Amino acid sequence: MPAAALKPKPLPTQSTARRSVPLDSPYQPLAKRPLPAGRPRDWYVTHNRRLKAMRLAIALLDSGVQPGQARNETIRTTAELIGVHPPSDTTCHMVRALMRYSR
């Protein structure tokens, strides 16, 4: 019998699970760095919106949610779970777009 057949199967991770895996809690964000000074206010708003959308898209994909299943309510519930302020409709739209393009 080959040695590989004797090894126990590892537990599925969030990226390899066939069904959704609950989010790990509590969520620990990375250390924040100051943003560059001297940019227009719109740049900061867009930058922060993109960061929030990326965090939410990653959390949703890790939990097994498909882009078609990601309704605004689902996205806002996930935001509450990971400790992010509730996203606007524009940010929810951006989250779905990021999830579609990740494939």
Side-chain angles (χ1 to χ4, degrees), residues 13-42:
T13 61
Q14 289 183 343
S15 61
T16 61
R18 289 202 170 91
R19 54 187 178 312
S20 65
V21 176
L23 294 172
D24 295 333
S25 292
Y27 172 75
Q28 291 293 331
L30 296 173
K32 294 184 179 183
R33 297 184 308 179
L35 294 174
R39 307 255 174 140
R41 178 172 168 72
D42 287 344

Side-chain angles (χ1 to χ4, degrees), residues 18-103:
R18 289 202 170 91
R19 54 187 178 312
S20 65
V21 176
L23 294 172
D24 295 333
S25 292
Y27 172 75
Q28 291 293 331
L30 296 173
K32 294 184 179 183
R33 297 184 308 179
L35 294 174
R39 307 255 174 140
R41 178 172 168 72
D42 287 344
W43 184 88
Y44 297 104
V45 171
T46 304
H47 176 76
N48 288 330
R49 179 171 284 160
R50 285 181 186 147
L51 289 177
K52 181 188 279 189
M54 282 191 288
R55 284 188 200 108
L56 288 168
I58 290 167
L60 287 163
L61 288 171
D62 283 350
S63 65
V65 176
Q66 299 295 319
Q69 300 169 331
R71 306 276 181 255
N72 287 357
E73 300 82 35
T74 308
I75 295 170
R76 289 186 176 117
T77 303
T78 303
E80 188 177 320
L81 281 173
I82 65 172
V84 176
H85 286 285
S88 65
D89 291 341
T90 305
T91 306
C92 290
H93 180 70
M94 193 179 287
V95 169
R96 283 188 290 277
L98 284 170
M99 290 174 73
R100 275 192 291 277
Y101 292 124
S102 70
R103 300 203 169 261

